[in-house]
Amino acid sequence: MFYKPSEPHGLKHGPFKAIIAPRPIGWISTLATDGSVNLAPFSFFNAMSENPPIVAMGINGSHSEGGAKDSLDNIEATKEFVCNMVSYSLHEKMNLSSAMLPRSIDEFDYAGLTKEPSTLVKPPRVKESLAHLECVLYKTIVLPSHNPKVVNTMVLGEVVGIHISDEIIVDGMIDMKKYQPLARLGYMDYCHVEDVFSMNRPVV
């Protein structure tokens, strides 16, 4: 089949996000200017460069109570955030934190998670996460939107500090079978790493 994204595709659900899969989940903790904490997962998330390490995420839509989503508001106001990586063991708590909660509700408390101080930035980390990326805002870019009620924003953050649980480090490398990172597929589907294989680049 072929379709233009600007026209009907004729399928049961939009296939775009199912095609670009799997996508790692950026579980983003931020701090508002009043000191309140927010935690939300974003599946439009990935690494963009290594030196310096830059991550990108898409924050789309608005808050259920109106205005921008708390994550975007907080990042633009404080210039800091933490990417708490999601392992399979945390999939249910991550899903709980995705609920469209009132601003007065703390997602850490709602999902039964523990706040842990960061080292270089003010937003707390998810203690239960096996890896954390402490980030400072590099740039936000407003992306096109075909819906005037929906704002699409790309956030680029420079990673200034990295935490890795010792339990997933084996022989000086992250053991993916111990880490079991969770990823988003299309629709309501997820997957996690169970099978790993290696390939060396060809030498020409």
Side-chain angles (χ1 to χ4, degrees), residues 18 20 30 33 37 39 41 57 68 87 89 95 105-106 136 140 146-147:
I20 304 177
T30 59
T33 53
V37 176
L39 178 67
M57 62 180 169
S87 297
S89 62
N95 194 44
I105 302 296
D106 185 319
V136 296
T140 57
H146 291 162
N147 184 343

Side-chain angles (χ1 to χ4, degrees), residues 28 61 191:
I28 308 301
C191 69

Side-chain angles (χ1 to χ4, degrees), residues 9-189:
H9 46 70
L11 298 177
K12 186 177 180 180
H13 295 288
F16 173 69
K17 291 185 287 186
I19 295 169
I20 304 177
R23 301 183 306 280
I25 298 168
W27 207 8
I28 308 301
S29 52
T30 59
L31 201 63
T33 53
D34 66 2
S36 58
V37 176
N38 183 263
L39 178 67
F42 294 91
S43 70
F44 286 139
F45 170 80
N46 220 313
M48 295 292 109
S49 67
E50 183 179 17
N51 187 23
I54 299 287
V55 294
M57 62 180 169
I59 301 179
N60 307 320
S62 57
H63 195 282
S64 59
E65 295 180 345
K69 289 187 174 179
D70 291 336
S71 299
L72 181 59
D73 268 349
N74 294 348
I75 290 170
E76 290 191 318
T78 66
K79 316 301 182 189
E80 295 180 339
F81 60 97
V82 178
C83 301
N84 306 275
M85 304 310 296
V86 186
S87 297
Y88 177 72
S89 62
L90 292 171
H91 71 279
E92 292 182 344
K93 291 182 181 294
M94 178 280 299
N95 194 44
L96 281 173
S97 72
S98 72
M100 297 289 283
L101 300 172
R103 287 191 167 98
S104 59
I105 302 296
D106 185 319
E107 289 85 3
F108 276 85
D109 295 339
Y110 183 80
L113 295 162
T114 309
K115 298 183 182 78
E116 185 168 43
S118 297
T119 302
L120 301 175
V121 299
K122 292 180 181 178
R125 297 177 286 140
V126 174
K127 184 176 182 179
E128 292 81 359
S129 178
L130 296 176
H132 314 88
L133 310 175
E134 297 188 16
C135 302
V136 296
L137 177 63
Y138 170 66
K139 183 182 292 186
T140 57
I141 301 171
V142 177
L143 303 175
S145 175
H146 291 162
N147 184 343
K149 296 181 180 180
V150 174
V151 176
N152 297 325
T153 305
M154 180 169 67
V155 174
L156 295 169
E158 180 177 348
V159 180
V160 295
I162 299 175
H163 302 260
I164 308 170
S165 172
D166 291 338
E167 68 182 85
I168 63 172
I169 298 177
V170 178
D171 294 331
M173 300 173 67
I174 293 176
D175 186 319
M176 286 295 165
K177 291 186 177 181
K178 291 179 177 291
Y179 183 21
Q180 292 194 321
L182 193 71
R184 186 71 184 270
L185 303 174
Y187 321 118
M188 293 294 106
D189 298 333

